[in-house]
Amino acid sequence: MHKSSGRALAITPRRALGSLIILAGLAVLLNDLYQFLVDQNPRVHDALLAGSVAAFATALGTVPVLLSQTFSQRISDTIMGFGAGVMLAACAFSLVIPALASAQELGAGPWGAGSIVGAGILLGALMLLLLDRAVPHEHFVKGLEGPSGRAMKRVWLFVLAITLHNLPEGMAIGVAFGGTDAVGAQALATGISIQDMPEGLVVATALRGVGYGKWSAVALGIASGLIEPIAAVFGAAAIGISAGLLPWGLAIAAGAMLFVISHEIIPESHRQGHETSASIGLMVGFVVMMLLDTALG
């Protein structure tokens, strides 16, 4: 009786109303914060739109799972490799090279610009490494990582792992739109959105593979992309504080993405013995993003 009354208490109208009030208050606060950021830097609005498109692309990628389509592990690994290739090219052509150019425009010499960008890349990787160590999460193949992971429900461990993947992508979009190269920023956002579609598919497929229903897998796949517009807004807002932060922001975003590629995506795509397929996917993804950056940038 005590347990059932506890369950009843958890779903009382009063608690539901309280939760709705809290959510409504949070929504108002976030809207006020967003309006403040837009007033300070109009590019924040463009960053939010670009981040939202990337989030929508992630959601779009989950549709085949909703239609009960299944894919072999080899195809999933190839898709992951493709995403890694897109991110690698985005790091090189849309983040590192513009960061070097921005540092030189601010007066740094070749060695100074290289030092700034190199330090930023290492700082971005360090930030993701610290998050990786501090936040409990679970990889689809490698298993649990982080402190006290076994005490959490596996579904949230997956969500946290996916969030770590998408955080640097959203940050990269925001930093790019916070700069002065709108065309290059659009190329970067387009490339990230392209790779987010197969990423959404891989996430939802992997969740289905470990026992989640298709609706739960799709919902979590969609939720995994929601960090991108949030990170994009704060990335653009940070760059709006000072133009001198632009090379640092671009380099930090590149370092964070490189860490995710090396630490997460490539090992996962190679773990099932499909290294060749994953590597071919990586090469194709790299070329697609390179062409996209050349055509749009």
Side-chain angles (χ1 to χ4, degrees), residues 124-134 259 263:
L126 177 62
M127 289 170 55
L128 261 292
L129 176 61
L130 293 176
L131 278 175
D132 188 75
R133 296 288 178 84
F259 180 85
H263 188 70

Side-chain angles (χ1 to χ4, degrees), residues 193-278:
S193 296
I194 288 174
Q195 75 92 26
D196 274 344
M197 285 191 283
E199 184 176 274
L201 174 61
V202 168
V203 168
T205 301
L207 288 168
R208 285 286 285 154
V210 295
Y212 294 106
K214 64 180 181 180
W215 286 102
S216 297
V218 168
L220 289 170
I222 293 173
S224 73
L226 297 181
I227 189 64
E228 294 192 50
I230 297 173
V233 165
F234 284 98
I239 298 304
I241 295 173
S242 170
L245 294 176
L246 181 58
W248 285 98
L250 291 169
I252 289 171
M257 289 179 68
L258 285 172
F259 180 85
V260 169
I261 295 165
S262 176
H263 188 70
E264 307 279 0
I265 300 178
I266 291 178
E268 293 285 356
S269 66
H270 286 206
R271 202 168 299 278
Q272 296 290 339
H274 303 135
E275 296 91 344
T276 301
S277 298

Side-chain angles (χ1 to χ4, degrees), residues 55-289:
F56 176 75
T58 301
L60 195 61
T62 66
V63 171
V65 172
L66 192 60
L67 300 175
S68 299
Q69 297 294 318
T70 57
F71 299 90
S72 68
Q73 186 62 48
R74 183 182 299 276
I75 292 176
S76 295
D77 289 341
T78 304
I79 292 173
M80 290 182 70
F82 176 86
V86 170
M87 292 175 69
L88 275 174
C91 285
F93 298 107
S94 299
L95 295 174
V96 172
I97 292 176
L100 290 168
S102 176
Q104 290 180 327
E105 289 173 2
L106 292 171
W111 279 99
S115 298
I116 290 172
V117 174
I121 289 173
L122 295 177
L123 180 59
L126 177 62
M127 289 170 55
L128 261 292
L129 176 61
L130 293 176
L131 278 175
D132 188 75
R133 296 288 178 84
V135 178
H137 56 285
E138 183 169 359
H139 299 271
F140 298 126
V141 178
K142 190 162 54 176
L144 293 164
E145 281 193 351
S148 304
R150 295 187 184 278
M152 299 180 66
K153 290 184 178 180
R154 294 184 69 204
V155 62
W156 295 114
L157 298 178
F158 281 124
V159 170
L160 288 171
I162 297 160
T163 299
L164 289 178
H165 285 183
N166 289 333
L167 177 63
E169 296 174 11
M171 184 171 64
I173 291 174
V175 169
F177 273 91
T180 57
D181 185 5
V183 177
Q186 188 60 53
L188 173 66
T190 302
I192 289 177
S193 296
I194 288 174
Q195 75 92 26
D196 274 344
M197 285 191 283
E199 184 176 274
L201 174 61
V202 168
V203 168
T205 301
L207 288 168
R208 285 286 285 154
V210 295
Y212 294 106
K214 64 180 181 180
W215 286 102
S216 297
V218 168
L220 289 170
I222 293 173
S224 73
L226 297 181
I227 189 64
E228 294 192 50
I230 297 173
V233 165
F234 284 98
I239 298 304
I241 295 173
S242 170
L245 294 176
L246 181 58
W248 285 98
L250 291 169
I252 289 171
M257 289 179 68
L258 285 172
F259 180 85
V260 169
I261 295 165
S262 176
H263 188 70
E264 307 279 0
I265 300 178
I266 291 178
E268 293 285 356
S269 66
H270 286 206
R271 202 168 299 278
Q272 296 290 339
H274 303 135
E275 296 91 344
T276 301
S277 298
S279 296
I280 292 172
L282 185 147
M283 300 299 293
V284 172
F286 188 94
V287 170
V288 167
M289 183 59 201

